[in-house]
């Protein structure tokens, strides 16, 4: 199994920088033991103009047979003579495949992470790359190869390998010679290969365990969620294991959703709600943007409730967390979001790294999903879900409901969501459109109230509703807010019920 990676010299640096980026010295050949045999790295071509690194995996069929637990997790493929022989006589030693992906990860671990102490700026920048795989098993043929690599910015050339060169009439084999060319970051290129070689091979030789989902998401970061063939990729990469595939698809869905929010959610929020024309004539001050009004309404609700320890669930980029930090009565603030990227931005905006110890001890950012119960969320005074529920698919709302009102059970819950009736008042919003393309739904006042009352009833909360923004006599306010509170000492479902009973006794 064989793969070459070439680059050419540019004003940014000589081609030989490839050695630093791969953490493998161009001057020597090196050998690494992998679970399936030895992997050799060497450079057939080294100068300032062009540099090529080659990875050759010498598959050891007996090792493969020993380790090659099939999908049944037991090993071997049965005892029929043909099957037994197939363990030793197969295409594995020659064709690039999942085994080559394993070798890539073993040999180029730092490069896959994008680490390069010597040349960090080179590792972070795209460089001209040419990758060649002479024999790639490609179930789905050249067309699928193109569909997988082209959306990632590669120029793809494939050549079908004939079944037997001496007998062209036998037709094509399932192998292609693959050449990828493009300007990409080396780490991204390696991640593409790491994920897509096994996908094309479609015959994983190692046991697919639950942590494969984590690996897939780690190496797919930044490209897989947006890939048009994402479902095919997860499906094949996870060897068609249904539960794993579903988990991966769901997690990628959340990545997509969060990524979309990062850029666009604020657009309409920062707009000023349309005003009555006479206000403008009177020269009244411009009203605050809706996002600011919403934050104020939430802070007021939390202060009135006397909350000190507060969860901001679906905190996004941390604007509310920042506002909470400014008020010392909020002693413990937890921001949780499913999007790592949003949390990174939040941490940067809050300047968590430069905060004094006293401030920073008040705030925690957590990654997590509201679709699952989470022990870390138990025992707080209040939780806020500001513009979050509408980002979940309706079938997932019961899970969110249970996670927040059933399991975490804070004394107060503040939920805000757009009022779809108000959309006709936004001039910039074409009729029938939602405020954000990723909103799974937008509720009327009636729908929101029905949902909130049912939730309150099921979990022993009382609920009241407030308007945020100008309350239009016809269509209501742009944002609706529900304030849930537990029934106090008589709360039959309250987590502290026993204690309270003891106190009362
Ligand atoms: N609360 C912020 C952000 C709202 S945007 C505000 O009011 O401005 C919606 C946020 O919900 C996004 O940051 C998104 O990543 C997050 N989100 C969506 N689904 C989620 C889930 N299942 N679990 C946790 N957060 C989720």
């Amino acid at each position: 199994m064989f793969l070459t990676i070439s680059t050419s010299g540019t004003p940014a640096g000589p081609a030989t920088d490839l050695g630093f980026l791969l953490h493998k010295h161009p001057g020597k050949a090196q050998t690494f033991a992998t679970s399936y045999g030895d992997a050799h790295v060497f450079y057939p071509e080294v100068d300032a103009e062009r540099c090529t690194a080659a990875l050759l995996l010498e598959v050891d069929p007996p090792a493969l047979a020993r380790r090659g637990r099939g999908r049944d997790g037991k090993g071997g493929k049965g005892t029929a003579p043909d099957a037994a022989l197939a363990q030793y006589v197969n295409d594995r030693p020659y064709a690039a495949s999942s085994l080559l992906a394993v070798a890539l990860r073993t040999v180029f671990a730092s490069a896959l992470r994008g680490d390069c102490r010597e040349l960090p700026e080179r590792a972070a920048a795209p460089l001209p790359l040419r990758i060649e795989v002479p024999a790639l098993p490609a179930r789905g043929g050249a067309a699928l190869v193109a569909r997988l690599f082209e959306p990632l910015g590669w120029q793809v050339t494939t050549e079908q390998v004939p079944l037997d060169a001496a007998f062209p009439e036998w037709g094509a084999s399932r192998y292609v010679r693959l050449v990828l060319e493009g300007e990409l970051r080396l780490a991204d290129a390696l991640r593409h290969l790491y994920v897509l070689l096994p996908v094309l091979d479609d015959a994983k030789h190692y046991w697919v365990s639950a942590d494969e989902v984590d690996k897939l998401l780690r190496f797919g970061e930044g490209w897989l969620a947006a890939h048009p063939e994402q479902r095919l990729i997860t499906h094949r990469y996870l060897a068609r294991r249904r539960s794993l595939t579903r988990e991966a698809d769901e997690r990628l869905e959340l990545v997509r959703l969060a990524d979309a929010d990062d850029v666009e959610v604020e657009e309409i929020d920062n707009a000023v709600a349309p005003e009555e024309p006479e206000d403008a004539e009177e020269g009244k001050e411009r009203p605050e943007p809706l996002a600011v009004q919403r934050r104020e309404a939430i802070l007021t609700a939390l202060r009135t409730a006397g909350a000190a320890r507060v969860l901001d669930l679906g905190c996004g980029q941390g604007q509310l967390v920042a506002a909470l930090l400014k008020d010392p009565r909020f002693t413990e603030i937890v921001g949780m979001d499913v999007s790592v990227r949003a949390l990174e931005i939040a941490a940067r905006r809050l300047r968590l790294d430069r905060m004094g110890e006293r401030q920073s001890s008040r705030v925690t950012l957590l990654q997590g999903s509201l679709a699952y119960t989470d022990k870390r969320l138990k025992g707080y005074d209040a939780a806020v879900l500001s513009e979050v529920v509408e980002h979940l698919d309706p079938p997932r709302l019961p899970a969110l409901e249970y996670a927040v009102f059933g399991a975490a059970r804070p004394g107060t819950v503040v939920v805000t969501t757009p009022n779809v009736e108000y959309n006709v008042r936004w001039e910039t919003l074409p009729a029938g459109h939602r405020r954000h393309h990723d909103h799974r739904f937008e509720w009327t006042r009636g729908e929101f109230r029905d949902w909130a009352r049912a939730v309150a009833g099921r979990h022993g909360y009382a609920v009241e509703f407030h308007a945020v923004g100008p309350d239009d006599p016809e269509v209501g306010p742009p944002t609706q807010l529900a304030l849930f509170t537990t029934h106090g000492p008589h709360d039959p479902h309250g987590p502290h019920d026993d204690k309270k009973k003891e106190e009362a006794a």
Side-chain angles (χ1 to χ4, degrees), residues 266 268-271 288-298 386 468 479:
E266 305 249 309
I268 204 151
D269 274 11
N270 284 336
E288 298 272 27
L290 185 56
V292 176
Q293 296 189 46
R294 191 163 50 228
R295 225 140 46 224
E296 284 309 319
I298 293 167
S386 165
V468 181
T479 296

PDB file of all heavy atoms in Angstrom, residues 266 268-271 288-298 386 468 479:
ATOM      1  N   GLU A 266     -27.338  36.883  14.673  1.00  0.00           N
ATOM      2  CA  GLU A 266     -27.454  38.226  15.220  1.00  0.00           C
ATOM      3  C   GLU A 266     -28.093  39.200  14.253  1.00  0.00           C
ATOM      4  O   GLU A 266     -28.522  40.268  14.647  1.00  0.00           O
ATOM      5  CB  GLU A 266     -26.047  38.736  15.529  1.00  0.00           C
ATOM      6  CG  GLU A 266     -25.308  37.789  16.436  1.00  0.00           C
ATOM      7  CD  GLU A 266     -25.099  38.386  17.792  1.00  0.00           C
ATOM      8  OE1 GLU A 266     -24.614  39.509  17.859  1.00  0.00           O
ATOM      9  OE2 GLU A 266     -25.475  37.731  18.782  1.00  0.00           O
ATOM     10  N   ILE A 268     -30.864  39.736  12.435  1.00  0.00           N
ATOM     11  CA  ILE A 268     -32.151  40.358  12.645  1.00  0.00           C
ATOM     12  C   ILE A 268     -32.319  40.792  14.094  1.00  0.00           C
ATOM     13  O   ILE A 268     -32.993  41.763  14.397  1.00  0.00           O
ATOM     14  CB  ILE A 268     -33.314  39.437  12.189  1.00  0.00           C
ATOM     15  CG1 ILE A 268     -34.524  40.309  11.865  1.00  0.00           C
ATOM     16  CG2 ILE A 268     -33.654  38.393  13.216  1.00  0.00           C
ATOM     17  CD1 ILE A 268     -35.422  39.711  10.826  1.00  0.00           C
ATOM     18  N   ASP A 269     -31.607  40.108  14.984  1.00  0.00           N
ATOM     19  CA  ASP A 269     -31.665  40.476  16.389  1.00  0.00           C
ATOM     20  C   ASP A 269     -31.125  41.869  16.632  1.00  0.00           C
ATOM     21  O   ASP A 269     -31.580  42.577  17.513  1.00  0.00           O
ATOM     22  CB  ASP A 269     -30.829  39.508  17.210  1.00  0.00           C
ATOM     23  CG  ASP A 269     -31.632  38.307  17.578  1.00  0.00           C
ATOM     24  OD1 ASP A 269     -32.721  38.154  17.024  1.00  0.00           O
ATOM     25  OD2 ASP A 269     -31.169  37.530  18.409  1.00  0.00           O
ATOM     26  N   ASN A 270     -30.114  42.239  15.886  1.00  0.00           N
ATOM     27  CA  ASN A 270     -29.503  43.536  16.122  1.00  0.00           C
ATOM     28  C   ASN A 270     -30.263  44.645  15.433  1.00  0.00           C
ATOM     29  O   ASN A 270     -29.978  45.814  15.620  1.00  0.00           O
ATOM     30  CB  ASN A 270     -28.040  43.519  15.683  1.00  0.00           C
ATOM     31  CG  ASN A 270     -27.204  42.782  16.710  1.00  0.00           C
ATOM     32  OD1 ASN A 270     -27.591  42.703  17.872  1.00  0.00           O
ATOM     33  ND2 ASN A 270     -26.088  42.237  16.298  1.00  0.00           N
ATOM     34  N   ALA A 271     -31.211  44.238  14.620  1.00  0.00           N
ATOM     35  CA  ALA A 271     -32.048  45.247  13.998  1.00  0.00           C
ATOM     36  C   ALA A 271     -32.924  45.857  15.082  1.00  0.00           C
ATOM     37  O   ALA A 271     -33.210  45.238  16.106  1.00  0.00           O
ATOM     38  CB  ALA A 271     -32.920  44.608  12.934  1.00  0.00           C
ATOM     39  N   GLU A 288     -33.484  50.357  21.858  1.00  0.00           N
ATOM     40  CA  GLU A 288     -32.374  49.407  21.894  1.00  0.00           C
ATOM     41  C   GLU A 288     -32.633  48.286  20.897  1.00  0.00           C
ATOM     42  O   GLU A 288     -33.781  47.904  20.679  1.00  0.00           O
ATOM     43  CB  GLU A 288     -32.312  48.766  23.286  1.00  0.00           C
ATOM     44  CG  GLU A 288     -32.052  49.721  24.406  1.00  0.00           C
ATOM     45  CD  GLU A 288     -30.584  49.923  24.641  1.00  0.00           C
ATOM     46  OE1 GLU A 288     -29.803  49.759  23.674  1.00  0.00           O
ATOM     47  OE2 GLU A 288     -30.211  50.230  25.775  1.00  0.00           O
ATOM     48  N   PRO A 289     -31.548  47.710  20.328  1.00  0.00           N
ATOM     49  CA  PRO A 289     -31.760  46.520  19.489  1.00  0.00           C
ATOM     50  C   PRO A 289     -32.481  45.435  20.292  1.00  0.00           C
ATOM     51  O   PRO A 289     -32.354  45.371  21.516  1.00  0.00           O
ATOM     52  CB  PRO A 289     -30.343  46.065  19.143  1.00  0.00           C
ATOM     53  CG  PRO A 289     -29.478  47.234  19.382  1.00  0.00           C
ATOM     54  CD  PRO A 289     -30.148  48.093  20.412  1.00  0.00           C
ATOM     55  N   LEU A 290     -33.185  44.589  19.564  1.00  0.00           N
ATOM     56  CA  LEU A 290     -33.983  43.563  20.219  1.00  0.00           C
ATOM     57  C   LEU A 290     -33.124  42.652  21.107  1.00  0.00           C
ATOM     58  O   LEU A 290     -33.552  42.261  22.204  1.00  0.00           O
ATOM     59  CB  LEU A 290     -34.694  42.733  19.139  1.00  0.00           C
ATOM     60  CG  LEU A 290     -35.670  41.683  19.636  1.00  0.00           C
ATOM     61  CD1 LEU A 290     -36.739  42.291  20.537  1.00  0.00           C
ATOM     62  CD2 LEU A 290     -36.320  40.984  18.445  1.00  0.00           C
ATOM     63  N   ALA A 291     -31.916  42.320  20.651  1.00  0.00           N
ATOM     64  CA  ALA A 291     -31.057  41.425  21.438  1.00  0.00           C
ATOM     65  C   ALA A 291     -30.774  42.031  22.807  1.00  0.00           C
ATOM     66  O   ALA A 291     -30.722  41.324  23.815  1.00  0.00           O
ATOM     67  CB  ALA A 291     -29.750  41.156  20.691  1.00  0.00           C
ATOM     68  N   VAL A 292     -30.583  43.359  22.850  1.00  0.00           N
ATOM     69  CA  VAL A 292     -30.296  44.028  24.120  1.00  0.00           C
ATOM     70  C   VAL A 292     -31.550  44.035  24.989  1.00  0.00           C
ATOM     71  O   VAL A 292     -31.493  43.740  26.187  1.00  0.00           O
ATOM     72  CB  VAL A 292     -29.801  45.468  23.857  1.00  0.00           C
ATOM     73  CG1 VAL A 292     -29.587  46.201  25.175  1.00  0.00           C
ATOM     74  CG2 VAL A 292     -28.536  45.442  23.021  1.00  0.00           C
ATOM     75  N   GLN A 293     -32.689  44.321  24.372  1.00  0.00           N
ATOM     76  CA  GLN A 293     -33.936  44.314  25.146  1.00  0.00           C
ATOM     77  C   GLN A 293     -34.210  42.937  25.741  1.00  0.00           C
ATOM     78  O   GLN A 293     -34.687  42.801  26.856  1.00  0.00           O
ATOM     79  CB  GLN A 293     -35.117  44.691  24.248  1.00  0.00           C
ATOM     80  CG  GLN A 293     -35.025  46.096  23.705  1.00  0.00           C
ATOM     81  CD  GLN A 293     -36.322  46.482  23.009  1.00  0.00           C
ATOM     82  OE1 GLN A 293     -37.406  46.256  23.528  1.00  0.00           O
ATOM     83  NE2 GLN A 293     -36.214  47.064  21.828  1.00  0.00           N
ATOM     84  N   ARG A 294     -33.888  41.903  24.952  1.00  0.00           N
ATOM     85  CA  ARG A 294     -34.137  40.547  25.428  1.00  0.00           C
ATOM     86  C   ARG A 294     -33.244  40.240  26.625  1.00  0.00           C
ATOM     87  O   ARG A 294     -33.691  39.662  27.622  1.00  0.00           O
ATOM     88  CB  ARG A 294     -33.858  39.565  24.296  1.00  0.00           C
ATOM     89  CG  ARG A 294     -34.336  38.177  24.595  1.00  0.00           C
ATOM     90  CD  ARG A 294     -34.425  37.351  23.351  1.00  0.00           C
ATOM     91  NE  ARG A 294     -33.214  37.424  22.582  1.00  0.00           N
ATOM     92  CZ  ARG A 294     -33.167  37.650  21.273  1.00  0.00           C
ATOM     93  NH1 ARG A 294     -34.253  37.820  20.575  1.00  0.00           N
ATOM     94  NH2 ARG A 294     -32.016  37.706  20.653  1.00  0.00           N
ATOM     95  N   ARG A 295     -31.975  40.631  26.523  1.00  0.00           N
ATOM     96  CA  ARG A 295     -31.052  40.386  27.621  1.00  0.00           C
ATOM     97  C   ARG A 295     -31.543  41.085  28.882  1.00  0.00           C
ATOM     98  O   ARG A 295     -31.513  40.529  29.971  1.00  0.00           O
ATOM     99  CB  ARG A 295     -29.658  40.903  27.212  1.00  0.00           C
ATOM    100  CG  ARG A 295     -28.572  39.951  27.550  1.00  0.00           C
ATOM    101  CD  ARG A 295     -27.496  39.812  26.509  1.00  0.00           C
ATOM    102  NE  ARG A 295     -26.980  41.034  25.946  1.00  0.00           N
ATOM    103  CZ  ARG A 295     -26.764  41.191  24.618  1.00  0.00           C
ATOM    104  NH1 ARG A 295     -27.038  40.221  23.785  1.00  0.00           N
ATOM    105  NH2 ARG A 295     -26.263  42.308  24.162  1.00  0.00           N
ATOM    106  N   GLU A 296     -31.988  42.324  28.731  1.00  0.00           N
ATOM    107  CA  GLU A 296     -32.481  43.076  29.890  1.00  0.00           C
ATOM    108  C   GLU A 296     -33.686  42.375  30.510  1.00  0.00           C
ATOM    109  O   GLU A 296     -33.790  42.262  31.727  1.00  0.00           O
ATOM    110  CB  GLU A 296     -32.853  44.509  29.487  1.00  0.00           C
ATOM    111  CG  GLU A 296     -31.637  45.407  29.279  1.00  0.00           C
ATOM    112  CD  GLU A 296     -30.670  45.368  30.465  1.00  0.00           C
ATOM    113  OE1 GLU A 296     -31.140  45.372  31.619  1.00  0.00           O
ATOM    114  OE2 GLU A 296     -29.442  45.290  30.229  1.00  0.00           O
ATOM    115  N   ALA A 297     -34.592  41.905  29.655  1.00  0.00           N
ATOM    116  CA  ALA A 297     -35.792  41.235  30.168  1.00  0.00           C
ATOM    117  C   ALA A 297     -35.395  39.976  30.949  1.00  0.00           C
ATOM    118  O   ALA A 297     -35.965  39.674  32.010  1.00  0.00           O
ATOM    119  CB  ALA A 297     -36.720  40.873  29.019  1.00  0.00           C
ATOM    120  N   ILE A 298     -34.407  39.246  30.435  1.00  0.00           N
ATOM    121  CA  ILE A 298     -33.963  38.025  31.112  1.00  0.00           C
ATOM    122  C   ILE A 298     -33.310  38.367  32.450  1.00  0.00           C
ATOM    123  O   ILE A 298     -33.596  37.752  33.488  1.00  0.00           O
ATOM    124  CB  ILE A 298     -32.980  37.241  30.205  1.00  0.00           C
ATOM    125  CG1 ILE A 298     -33.713  36.709  28.970  1.00  0.00           C
ATOM    126  CG2 ILE A 298     -32.312  36.109  30.969  1.00  0.00           C
ATOM    127  CD1 ILE A 298     -32.802  36.193  27.873  1.00  0.00           C
ATOM    128  N   SER A 386     -32.274  31.138  25.876  1.00  0.00           N
ATOM    129  CA  SER A 386     -32.588  32.325  25.102  1.00  0.00           C
ATOM    130  C   SER A 386     -32.439  32.017  23.624  1.00  0.00           C
ATOM    131  O   SER A 386     -31.317  31.781  23.149  1.00  0.00           O
ATOM    132  CB  SER A 386     -31.648  33.454  25.540  1.00  0.00           C
ATOM    133  OG  SER A 386     -31.659  34.499  24.608  1.00  0.00           O
ATOM    134  N   VAL A 468     -41.342  40.862  24.886  1.00  0.00           N
ATOM    135  CA  VAL A 468     -40.064  41.561  24.765  1.00  0.00           C
ATOM    136  C   VAL A 468     -40.090  42.333  23.456  1.00  0.00           C
ATOM    137  O   VAL A 468     -40.352  41.764  22.401  1.00  0.00           O
ATOM    138  CB  VAL A 468     -38.870  40.574  24.762  1.00  0.00           C
ATOM    139  CG1 VAL A 468     -37.559  41.335  24.669  1.00  0.00           C
ATOM    140  CG2 VAL A 468     -38.890  39.701  26.004  1.00  0.00           C
ATOM    141  N   THR A 479     -40.419  39.161  20.372  1.00  0.00           N
ATOM    142  CA  THR A 479     -39.901  38.024  21.144  1.00  0.00           C
ATOM    143  C   THR A 479     -40.874  37.710  22.266  1.00  0.00           C
ATOM    144  O   THR A 479     -41.403  38.627  22.899  1.00  0.00           O
ATOM    145  CB  THR A 479     -38.530  38.373  21.770  1.00  0.00           C
ATOM    146  OG1 THR A 479     -37.590  38.587  20.724  1.00  0.00           O
ATOM    147  CG2 THR A 479     -38.027  37.234  22.660  1.00  0.00           C
TER     148      THR A 479
END
